[in-house]
Amino acid sequence: MAPGADKRIAYDPPGAIGLVDREAVLLIRFDETDDSARPQDAARAMTDFDVTATGVLGSRVMPPIVPAALGRGRLFTPGAGNGLLARDLDTGSTLLTRDMSIQLVMSWDAAAQLASGQPGVIVVRGLGTGSAEFVSYGLELDVVDAPTFTGKLRWFWEDVGGGEHLAAGVNVVIPPGQFTLITATRRWVSPTQVELAYYVGDQLAGVETSASGSIGGGTTGTMQLGFRSQGSPGNEWAGVLDELMIVGRELCAEEVEATWLRIVTYQPLGNRLFLEMFDGGFPISDEPDSDVQLDIRMTGQSIGFAAAQTENLRANFLPQRAYGSTLQQWEEAVAVTPKPAQGIEARRARVLARLRQRRGVSIPGIKDALLELVDCDVDDLVFIAYSNTITDGFDTVVEPLLWDMTPTGCAAANAGRARFAPGAGDYTLSSTSRLWRTIARTVSQPVAPVDELLGVILGGEQVIAKLVFTTPQDTCEAGVWVGDKSAGNYLVLGLRDVAGSFKVVTESFIAGISQGLVVQATLGANPAAIWLYLRGNAFGGWTPAWSVTGPSSDFTNGGAITHPHTVHWAGCYLRGVASGAPVADFDDFVLYMPNGTRPFNAYVYRNPALGGSPDLEGAHSVLQAIKHAFTHATIITSLAVLNADPGSPCDRGPMGAL
């Protein structure tokens, strides 16, 4: 707060409605009309404040009543022995060891504070004399420069062992005789991080981070106002305490601003508007304590209060400025649960991300929604979406995380192709032996060719691949296949070497038993390349086709094949009996699954090497809300599907529970 800044509350006239919060842990208004009356806690959490308490050596002197900004206040004078004490009505009702805020309307006498030779404690909970009286929170004001009325406002508390922590605090300027609103907030993040903020009026005076996240606090915890008892009373504060409120949460800037505007603008305006309703010369008592003035204040302040609440709703209803119960209701409406120790800005960001669905169906829109949550440049995110077509050109590797290989490593990328080069041996496929070499991809959402329950025709899978039989061997064959490995049901379409004559063949296996080899065509010489194409039809029918020209022209269709079994896998293979050292190369593999569910799944990949502290659960929750066309969507930090790995797609639906 800059020296000389005007953040005072005008005494024109005394207010009837001051600090307000239905969640207040402690609220003292000092509305008493007699100096000896014991101030009461309007929140009904504490006993009435008195000048003596068990465990406090030496009684205090009741501070006298003086005029204040919001009505009446209590004057605390160092050397006069002023001070107030109280205990919880229910043990621990004012004990706060995590998030909390202290808000007060006060004036300060910097010269008197300097003369006392000590910082002045405004409020403290706990005597610091043992575990039942550990200090859970306190707020003090110390003189930095009396001529400019500059003081140091700071938090203090004791840890769970009784060791005291005094925050660095911030400088504030409070000219004598001027009332202002002071707000101090504390947000606990972790045992090594506590975020502290200080406001004067509606302006943020400063923030700091404390490394002392161990906060103690006794179950008894005597509350002290205007001084602090440490064996004997001390740290007497110099000033007028108008109203004091403590809440068990972090007040935000918008909430502080709303309170400030209500007290200094709207409620005084309500008073003036009500007074202007009377005709000139109308007899009105000038005595502040008269019934007429009381009635005017109550009515005018109520008008101003209603106006302030209306403005607060207008300014702070939307989630980017919402706080308190309004923000909680936004969270409930969009099904977002705040994480422990999460600040108000992060909570707002999660609500806003949930609501940003206008562009959420597009990749840029999803990136916009994740902006506040991923703690990195959104351009570093990789959006992974799928179609019902799987393609693989084997340019660099036959990815073992994508292809199921039998046996492991049976194919490897070579010159941009998937090469089968197993050496000499038997590579048979029969009811007793499955020694062939295969690589396979799963068919998402496999269905029976005919759904009798629905009465509709399903199926229609298609697989195509380019084959270069680089080193053929007699009786050896290479091609594409579809089927169900667990049931032993296979349908193969391949190019076979029969004593130097190359034939296009098909063969169906049911439960591992061949239904007979069918020669679809005799090509003669080994073609430079051949494209093999298996196309599923209705009612379990399949059409084999091949081309030696290219992947999209001059295909020859073979005879229809009946193979009425569910297809779970599709891939490439090499098989033969007593083969020498065959080599078969596959390229440009395509698998089309018209009934697959791949298009309904999407992932946003964030590389963990980026560092930072992303809110992955929040990002996952946001993606669930804006996925639109996707049945499943999530954010991941691993490109591998690994069981029991929280960063992998495997543990984030549809396979996992999240």
Side-chain angles (χ1 to χ4, degrees):
M1 193 72 186
D6 188 1
K7 286 297 167 188
R8 58 183 172 175
I9 301 176
Y11 180 72
D12 181 30
I17 303 174
L19 303 181
V20 177
D21 193 304
R22 65 183 181 182
E23 303 168 6
V25 171
L26 175 72
L27 177 58
I28 312 173
R29 298 195 185 280
F30 300 111
D31 288 333
E32 302 78 34
T33 58
D34 185 277
D35 284 350
S36 62
R38 298 168 62 189
Q40 297 180 343
D41 170 24
R44 299 293 188 268
M46 306 202 79
T47 61
D48 292 348
F49 281 81
D50 208 342
V51 294
T52 61
T54 303
V56 180
L57 299 177
S59 62
R60 296 278 82 197
V61 175
M62 184 69 71
I65 295 173
V66 294
L70 302 178
R72 304 177 184 89
R74 295 280 183 159
L75 174 63
F76 295 80
T77 304
N82 298 131
L84 293 169
L85 307 100
R87 291 265 175 85
D88 294 351
L89 285 172
D90 295 321
T91 301
S93 59
T94 64
L95 175 61
L96 301 169
T97 60
R98 292 293 185 264
D99 293 4
M100 65 168 296
S101 300
I102 300 174
Q103 191 170 64
L104 60 144
V105 176
M106 50 83 84
S107 68
W108 184 50
D109 189 340
Q113 194 70 65
L114 180 65
S116 75
Q118 290 182 311
V121 170
I122 301 170
V123 59
V124 57
R125 186 189 188 278
L127 301 174
T129 55
S131 59
E133 285 285 349
F134 280 162
V135 174
S136 57
Y137 50 86
L139 189 65
E140 71 172 30
L141 188 56
D142 195 8
V143 177
V144 174
D145 184 55
T148 59
F149 320 114
T150 303
K152 180 77 72 176
L153 183 67
R154 56 195 170 202
W155 283 91
F156 64 91
W157 59 80
E158 291 182 334
D159 61 30
V160 294
E164 183 162 306
H165 169 73
L166 182 63
V170 299
N171 287 353
V172 297
V173 175
I174 306 175
Q178 294 187 5
F179 284 86
T180 191
L181 178 71
I182 297 292
T183 308
T185 70
R186 180 177 78 183
R187 180 167 65 87
W188 189 92
V189 179
S190 72
T192 58
Q193 182 181 355
V194 181
E195 301 294 333
L196 307 174
Y198 306 87
Y199 299 83
V200 177
D202 61 343
Q203 300 296 309
L204 179 64
V207 296
E208 63 174 311
T209 300
S210 168
S212 181
S214 173
I215 302 175
T219 53
T220 307
T222 303
M223 190 76 71
Q224 303 143 76
L225 302 181
F227 81 107
R228 182 181 182 186
S229 177
Q230 291 179 293
S232 62
N235 292 105
E236 295 178 325
W237 180 62
V240 176
L241 192 54
D242 189 340
E243 292 196 1
L244 172 70
M245 181 176 70
I246 297 175
V247 296
R249 60 185 178 86
E250 176 192 20
L251 297 178
C252 64
E254 291 80 6
E255 190 167 7
V256 173
E257 179 187 51
T259 298
W260 174 255
L261 290 176
R262 173 171 58 81
I263 291 174
V264 302
T265 301
Y266 291 100
Q267 289 179 200
L269 178 61
N271 276 328
R272 289 196 295 273
L273 289 174
F274 187 66
L275 281 171
E276 290 173 1
M277 294 175 60
F278 296 94
D279 295 331
F282 186 84
I284 299 177
S285 173
D286 293 331
E287 294 297 324
D289 292 335
S290 68
D291 290 343
V292 172
Q293 285 290 346
L294 178 61
D295 183 61
I296 290 173
R297 286 201 305 271
M298 291 180 63
T299 305
Q301 291 285 345
S302 298
I303 294 172
F305 184 85
Q309 294 300 93
T310 302
E311 172 59 18
N312 185 27
L313 178 65
R314 184 201 66 79
N316 300 317
F317 174 73
L318 294 178
Q320 57 264 45
R321 287 177 59 92
Y323 57 83
S325 60
T326 302
L327 180 57
Q328 291 176 2
Q329 289 168 354
W330 275 111
E331 290 171 328
E332 292 171 2
V334 300
V336 168
T337 302
K339 298 173 67 176
Q342 192 168 51
I344 193 168
E345 291 301 331
R347 291 172 60 193
R348 289 170 174 169
R350 295 183 72 179
V351 172
L352 285 171
R354 273 291 185 94
L355 293 172
R356 285 173 176 164
Q357 299 186 30
R358 181 176 61 85
R359 299 178 62 210
V361 74
S362 66
I363 293 176
I366 290 178
K367 286 184 176 181
D368 285 348
L370 296 178
L371 178 63
E372 301 294 336
L373 303 173
V374 294
D375 196 18
C376 69
D377 190 325
V378 291
D379 289 334
D380 291 331
L381 300 175
V382 179
F383 186 87
I384 305 171
Y386 306 97
S387 71
N388 270 335
T389 301
I390 292 176
T391 62
D392 199 332
F394 308 113
D395 294 330
T396 58
V397 67
V398 182
E399 178 56 63
L401 294 175
L402 300 177
W403 289 91
D404 180 78
M405 299 190 190
T406 305
T408 301
C410 66
N414 181 277
R417 299 172 179 170
R419 169 161 289 186
F420 289 78
D426 287 333
Y427 311 111
T428 56
L429 173 61
S430 67
S431 59
T432 59
S433 173
R434 298 183 193 176
L435 299 177
W436 65 337
R437 301 299 191 255
T438 73
I439 58 173
R441 296 291 297 265
T442 58
V443 176
S444 66
Q445 195 63 30
V447 293
V450 179
D451 191 318
E452 296 178 355
L453 179 63
L454 297 177
V456 296
I457 300 172
L458 302 173
E461 289 81 2
Q462 301 176 36
V463 60
I464 185 173
K466 175 184 177 182
L467 167 66
V468 176
F469 216 154
T470 306
T471 308
Q473 297 289 325
D474 187 23
T475 73
C476 194
E477 174 190 320
V480 296
W481 67 277
V482 296
D484 180 1
K485 295 190 295 181
S486 62
N489 300 327
Y490 300 91
L491 175 61
V492 302
L493 166 65
L495 181 65
R496 171 175 286 206
D497 180 359
V498 181
S501 177
F502 289 82
K503 304 179 184 295
V504 177
V505 299
T506 58
E507 189 171 4
S508 176
F509 290 83
I510 306 300
I513 300 175
S514 173
Q515 305 302 299
L517 183 73
V518 177
V519 177
Q520 297 286 345
T522 299
L523 303 182
N526 183 16
I530 186 170
W531 284 263
L532 299 169
Y533 180 23
L534 265 177
R535 181 175 70 251
N537 306 313
F539 302 105
W542 289 82
T543 299
W546 58 94
S547 171
V548 296
T549 303
S552 59
S553 61
D554 298 328
F555 272 89
T556 301
N557 291 327
I561 306 168
T562 299
H563 187 79
H565 294 277
T566 302
V567 169
H568 289 272
W569 296 86
C572 307
Y573 73 94
L574 181 145
R575 62 174 181 161
V577 179
S579 299
V583 177
D585 292 305
F586 290 90
D587 201 356
D588 301 332
F589 177 88
V590 178
L591 170 60
Y592 173 60
M593 305 159 289
N595 301 301
T597 59
R598 282 167 50 89
F600 305 111
N601 297 272
Y603 298 91
V604 178
Y605 171 64
R606 184 191 186 280
N607 191 330
L610 294 173
S613 301
D615 182 3
L616 295 181
E617 288 306 313
H620 172 74
S621 181
V622 166
L623 286 173
Q624 288 297 299
I626 65 174
K627 59 195 178 187
H628 296 290
F630 300 110
T631 301
H632 165 69
T634 188
I635 189 165
I636 57 176
T637 56
S638 172
L639 293 175
V641 181
L642 303 174
N643 187 34
D645 175 15
S648 164
C650 186
D651 287 332
R652 288 184 175 272
M655 293 172 282
L658 291 179

